[in-house]
């Protein structure tokens, strides 16, 4: 998470994006929480978009050059701010227009039903019971969380908030049904250097712990240390909905 409305900044977002990129994770993203304009003195949706872009430029300006960067807009209904679906759709549109990067809209069915307009890819949440390893918790492709909503099938499903990824417990776990190439197409990502980027199978076949690449022309600061990064730590603070790519 990078910002919420026009009043909240998450100062570790840039560090987590940098760590993810250095670890060779091919797709990285920042999420922005949209708030109702005027609620708790938050500015307009347009101002919230500018606030997010400006803050990410300060923390991690390299996002503009990363081929696999995308935005996630976090649209929710809280007891203190039941944000309208229209504000989420508007934020997605403005982020696309101002950054030329794709957006995915987190707008769960339990909050918004089939009321989401636009055509942004949707990120649904529908939790399984229990806790444990993120792979063992995944309920499969026929799980109701994948059912169509607002005229489209969710692109990503958040299926748990009590998953273990690497050594970290109580993580949000998410699934994407498709290949790495499919996800790249979803976000309009440019091709990546397969020699330096981890494949989704590389990540899936671990318990969520990946190694940073050794020094290379695009990662000169690694110095051959090949330090370990925990995927949960790399992703969670950047995007609380930590991704599990199948």
């Amino acid at each position: 998470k990078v910002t919420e409305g026009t009043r909240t900044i998450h100062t570790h977002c840039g560090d987590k994006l940098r760590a993810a990129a250095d670890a060779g994770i091919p797709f990285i993203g920042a999420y922005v929480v949209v708030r109702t304009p005027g609620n708790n003195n938050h500015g307009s949706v347009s101002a919230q978009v500018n606030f997010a872009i400006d803050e990410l430029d300060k923390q991690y300006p390299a996002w503009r050059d990363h081929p696999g960067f995308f935005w996630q807009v976090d649209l929710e209904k809280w007891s203190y701010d039941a944000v309208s679906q229209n504000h989420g759709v508007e934020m997605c549109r403005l982020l696309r227009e101002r950054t030329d990067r794709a957006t995915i809209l987190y707008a769960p069915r339990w909050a918004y039903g089939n009321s989401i307009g636009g055509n942004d890819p949707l990120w649904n949440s529908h939790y399984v019971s229990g806790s444990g390893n993120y792979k063992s918790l995944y309920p499969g492709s026929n799980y109701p969380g994948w059912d169509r909503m607002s005229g489209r099938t969710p692109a990503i499903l958040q299926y748990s908030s009590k998953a273990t990824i690497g050594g970290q417990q109580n993580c949000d776990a998410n699934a994407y049904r498709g290949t790495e190439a499919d996800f790249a197409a979803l976000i309009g990502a440019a091709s990546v250097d397969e020699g330096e980027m981890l494949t989704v199978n590389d990540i899936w076949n671990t318990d969520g712990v990946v190694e940073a690449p050794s020094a290379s022309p695009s990662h000169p600061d690694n110095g051959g240390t090949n330090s370990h990064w925990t995927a949960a730590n790399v992703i969670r603070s950047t995007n609380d909905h930590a991704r599990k790519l199948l």
Side-chain angles (χ1 to χ4, degrees), residues 172-183:
D172 290 345
N174 298 270
Y176 172 73
R177 300 184 301 180
T179 65
E180 187 171 351
D182 292 335
F183 193 84

Side-chain angles (χ1 to χ4, degrees), residues 8 13 20 24 26 30-31 33 39 46 60 64-65 76 83 102 110 118 121 141 153 163 181 190 194 198 202 219 231:
T8 303
C13 179
Y31 84 83
V33 178
N39 183 292
S46 179
Y60 184 63
R64 291 184 176 273
D65 299 317
E76 301 190 46
V83 185
W110 52 262
S141 293
T153 300
E194 295 181 356
L198 296 175
D202 290 334
H219 298 289

Side-chain angles (χ1 to χ4, degrees), residues 69-151:
F69 179 86
F70 67 102
W71 295 99
Q72 182 223 340
V73 172
D74 187 337
L75 174 66
E76 301 190 46
K77 291 184 177 180
W78 295 276
S79 60
Y80 54 85
D81 189 5
V83 185
S84 164
Q85 60 268 27
N86 294 332
H87 295 321
V89 173
E90 181 185 4
M91 178 171 278
C92 286
R93 176 181 62 81
L94 293 175
L95 281 168
R96 286 195 309 273
E97 291 177 355
R98 295 177 187 178
T99 68
D100 198 29
R101 294 298 185 126
T103 56
I104 299 178
L105 178 60
Y106 176 81
R109 188 198 328 268
W110 52 262
Y112 294 97
N114 291 305
S115 66
I116 305 300
N119 57 7
D120 299 288
L122 295 180
W123 191 322
N124 188 29
S125 63
H126 190 142
Y127 289 171
V128 300
S129 60
S131 60
N133 180 273
Y134 68 102
K135 286 185 277 189
S136 64
L137 288 176
Y138 177 58
S141 293
N142 295 321
Y143 187 60
W146 289 114
D147 292 349
R148 286 176 65 82
M149 52 185 285
S150 297

Side-chain angles (χ1 to χ4, degrees), residues 25 133-136 164-167 198-211 228-232 243-245:
I25 293 176
N133 180 273
Y134 68 102
K135 286 185 277 189
S136 64
T164 299
I165 302 177
L198 296 175
T199 68
V200 290
N201 283 334
D202 290 334
I203 299 171
W204 178 250
N205 290 325
T206 73
D207 286 326
V209 177
V210 296
E211 292 185 344
H228 286 74
W229 296 97
T230 302
R243 300 189 303 273
K244 174 172 75 70
L245 302 179

Side-chain angles (χ1 to χ4, degrees), residues 205-240:
N205 290 325
T206 73
D207 286 326
V209 177
V210 296
E211 292 185 344
S214 298
S216 68
S218 62
H219 298 289
D221 296 330
N222 287 334
T225 58
N226 208 31
S227 301
H228 286 74
W229 296 97
T230 302
N233 291 332
V234 168
I235 297 173
R236 192 181 188 202
S237 293
T238 303
N239 185 334
D240 285 349

Side-chain angles (χ1 to χ4, degrees), residues 7-71:
R7 293 173 55 83
T8 303
I9 292 171
H10 288 258
T11 58
H12 296 294
C13 179
D15 293 338
K16 300 306 180 182
L17 285 171
R18 188 174 297 104
D22 287 348
I25 293 176
F27 308 114
I28 62 174
Y31 84 83
V32 183
V33 178
V34 59
R35 296 291 303 276
T36 300
N39 183 292
N40 199 26
N41 295 318
H42 287 288
S44 67
V45 174
S46 179
Q48 293 178 45
V49 168
N50 288 341
F51 187 65
I53 295 170
D54 290 348
E55 183 58 31
L56 196 57
D57 278 338
K58 294 175 186 175
Q59 292 191 33
Y60 184 63
W63 72 268
R64 291 184 176 273
D65 299 317
H66 193 287
F69 179 86
F70 67 102
W71 295 99

